[in-house]
Amino acid sequence: MHQNLIDIESQLFFQTYKRLPVEIDYAKGMRIFDKDGNSYLDFLGGIAVNALGHSHPGIIEAIDHQLRRYMHVSNYFYQDTQLEFVEKLNKLSGFERVFLSNSGTEANEGAIKLVRRWGIDRGKTDIIAFSGGFHGRTYGVLSLMDKPHYKDKMGPYLDNMKIIKYNDIDDLNNTVNDKTVAVILEFIQGEGGISMANEKWVDAINILKQKFGFLVIADEIQSGVGRTGKFFSFENYNINPDIVTLAKGLGGGLPLGCILAHEDLANVWEKGMHGTTFGGNPVACAAGSVVLKELKNGLMEHVIQAGKYLHERLEYILNKFPGKVLEVRGLGLIKGLLLNFDAGKLVAELLKRKIIANAASGSVLRLVPPLVVTNQDIDEFISGLSDALIAIE
Ligand code: PLP
């Protein structure tokens, strides 16, 4: 990678991203190829986006077909590509109503508006979120997040938002009341370091929901779309959320997100109350239909098998490096390795071995590979990981 490019980037862009020193040429399947001819094994998958891997032939064919018909006409029109996608989504999700967005943060902002609209006549206004959560970068969701680095000196934020401790039943009991309109949570916190919701805590949410009648918003943007081997990560728990938000893997690499809700709740919005110019772009929906078709036709079963194998191999690593690796976290193909040092160091060592992964929450190595990852890819990853850990003093 040329120093020149790093310099040019620093002169042209807002310096908001820590980029890896790799100049991409193209990407295919589980691999990314750089301009120097190197091939990298991708265990980041565009941050849990490239569900079917890179350049999936089915996705390319579907978007090519749609591109040649039209790229954008706006949501003023009826579009068969959107309808086909949403029908598939309804079947897989069990939710009757869908609002299509461009991104995750936009889906969550919509969910906040929807619950507030639902709560206004019921005297309910307060939204509760949890420590370590990540819901996006816009003001509504930032008001529901506690990490200072994302928020400092950019306020003020929204009122009637409370952030309490994840997995803490007492905090929940002490905070929820008649004013609570909704809680929003990730059942597996992605950016928060692959922390999983505790079953007893989820039961406590159910009990309080019965008592106070608030709504549950499941942010499945990183953990959903088949990543745990079920369509939603909350299906690994005993709970029925009222609203679910999705994005990332949903468009298979193109920007596509959604809000899912049942009919009664969706009906609190009347025409014109919410909208977007680009949301539900037909090219993205064409790609999304391919993702959903693959998930329905065996990909989730594959995720369960591959996730189990990855877990076993990570436990081998845990046993091999007891001082350096402290814990294996996660379900299916959203996995974390808790380290006793800064995960950024391991990311750099892995990169030297042509493996791409990233750090979440400082000391956790996050693994969110494409859902099509094979046992052979996992073996290659584990061998590189082992070498990288040996290299770290
Ligand atoms: N919610 C979760 C759980 C996420 O992981 C993310 C992104 O990482 C978002 C929301 C925000 O999504 P986007 O970056 O598409 O706005």
Side-chain angles (χ1 to χ4, degrees):
M1 154 118 212
H2 304 290
Q3 182 59 37
N4 208 5
L5 195 70
I6 298 174
D7 294 342
I8 294 171
E9 196 274 352
S10 71
Q11 284 157 26
L12 294 181
F13 287 82
F14 280 41
Q15 290 301 291
T16 54
Y17 297 113
K18 277 190 212 152
R19 299 183 198 270
L20 296 170
V22 177
E23 191 185 355
I24 305 292
D25 190 7
Y26 65 99
K28 203 164 172 41
M30 283 292 299
R31 307 220 166 241
I32 290 176
F33 297 85
D34 74 8
K35 291 245 176 115
D36 298 322
N38 297 304
S39 154
Y40 298 82
L41 181 65
D42 184 10
F43 265 60
L44 176 63
I47 325 179
V49 166
N50 302 97
L52 306 187
H54 299 278
S55 311
H56 184 274
I59 291 191
I60 291 182
E61 193 186 326
I63 65 182
D64 181 64
H65 177 71
Q66 181 59 41
L67 279 173
R68 286 164 202 278
R69 289 180 67 203
Y70 66 96
M71 274 184 237
H72 173 85
V73 288
S74 89
N75 286 313
Y76 279 136
F77 296 93
Y78 292 91
Q79 301 177 56
D80 58 2
T81 315
Q82 275 189 347
L83 287 175
E84 195 188 307
F85 170 67
V86 167
E87 271 172 7
K88 287 196 172 78
L89 192 51
N90 287 6
K91 282 204 187 104
L92 271 170
S93 71
F95 283 90
E96 305 94 48
R97 293 287 183 272
V98 179
F99 180 90
L100 296 175
S101 69
N102 304 282
S103 66
T105 204
E106 189 199 350
N108 282 337
E109 291 293 322
I112 292 171
K113 284 172 65 181
L114 187 68
V115 298
R116 281 266 167 88
R117 177 77 194 185
W118 175 87
I120 204 93
D121 302 329
R122 294 171 168 83
K124 294 177 182 294
T125 45
D126 297 357
I127 303 180
I128 296 175
F130 302 98
S131 56
F134 186 90
H135 304 295
R137 300 290 193 158
T138 43
Y139 269 103
V141 289
L142 282 171
S143 309
L144 293 165
M145 288 159 51
D146 63 346
K147 192 171 166 183
H149 189 61
Y150 299 141
K151 302 179 65 168
D152 271 2
K153 300 186 182 168
M154 290 186 277
Y157 294 95
L158 296 190
D159 291 336
N160 300 90
M161 304 286 202
K162 294 178 183 163
I163 304 162
I164 62 174
K165 269 199 221 123
Y166 192 62
N167 277 335
D168 188 317
I169 296 179
D170 289 342
D171 239 11
L172 200 59
N173 283 325
N174 293 335
T175 314
V176 171
N177 59 33
D178 283 329
K179 290 248 168 258
T180 307
V181 67
V183 299
I184 179 168
L185 73 151
E186 293 162 88
F187 287 84
I188 303 180
Q189 293 188 328
E191 305 297 313
I194 322 297
S195 304
M196 292 184 56
N198 177 303
E199 274 175 32
K200 289 217 166 73
W201 181 68
V202 174
D203 290 344
I205 295 178
N206 277 325
I207 292 167
L208 289 168
K209 178 171 159 49
Q210 283 281 325
K211 185 168 172 201
F212 292 104
F214 56 82
L215 302 171
V216 172
I217 306 170
D219 179 340
E220 293 271 340
I221 286 162
Q222 186 156 161
S223 59
V225 197
R227 188 147 288 277
T228 64
K230 298 190 189 277
F231 191 63
F232 297 120
S233 68
F234 73 72
E235 293 175 81
N236 297 289
Y237 295 85
N238 176 28
I239 192 163
N240 289 313
D242 303 280
I243 299 178
V244 182
T245 52
L246 295 174
K248 287 198 182 274
L250 193 60
L254 289 183
L256 185 59
C258 73
I259 309 168
L260 298 168
H262 294 299
E263 191 181 344
D264 285 1
L265 183 52
N267 284 345
V268 305
W269 271 345
E270 293 162 17
K271 289 200 192 302
M273 280 186 185
H274 194 59
T276 157
T277 301
F278 285 120
N281 172 273
V283 184
C285 286
S289 274
V290 180
V291 173
L292 297 184
K293 192 175 95 196
E294 292 293 316
L295 285 172
K296 191 167 166 285
N297 293 341
L299 186 57
M300 286 197 268
E301 288 76 10
H302 171 79
V303 171
I304 291 173
Q305 176 277 314
K308 200 165 159 267
Y309 186 62
L310 179 58
H311 208 93
E312 280 165 23
R313 301 310 293 148
L314 290 172
E315 289 201 323
Y316 155 81
I317 292 287
L318 174 74
N319 292 329
K320 188 169 171 192
F321 298 95
K324 294 177 183 172
V325 180
L326 307 178
E327 194 184 323
V328 179
R329 294 178 172 176
L331 274 180
L333 291 173
I334 175 163
K335 288 281 193 310
L337 268 194
L338 178 65
L339 308 167
N340 85 338
F341 57 92
D342 176 18
K345 268 176 147 179
L346 186 54
V347 169
E349 283 299 331
L350 284 168
L351 193 65
K352 284 186 203 162
R353 290 160 180 82
K354 307 287 179 281
I355 292 173
I356 295 178
N358 89 334
S361 175
S363 55
V364 175
L365 183 77
R366 171 174 47 181
L367 309 173
V368 280
L371 305 183
V372 294
V373 64
T374 63
N375 287 6
Q376 210 182 338
D377 297 321
I378 292 170
D379 287 341
E380 183 182 337
F381 169 76
I382 293 292
S383 152
L385 177 63
S386 179
D387 290 350
L389 281 163
I390 289 168
I392 285 171
E393 289 306 311

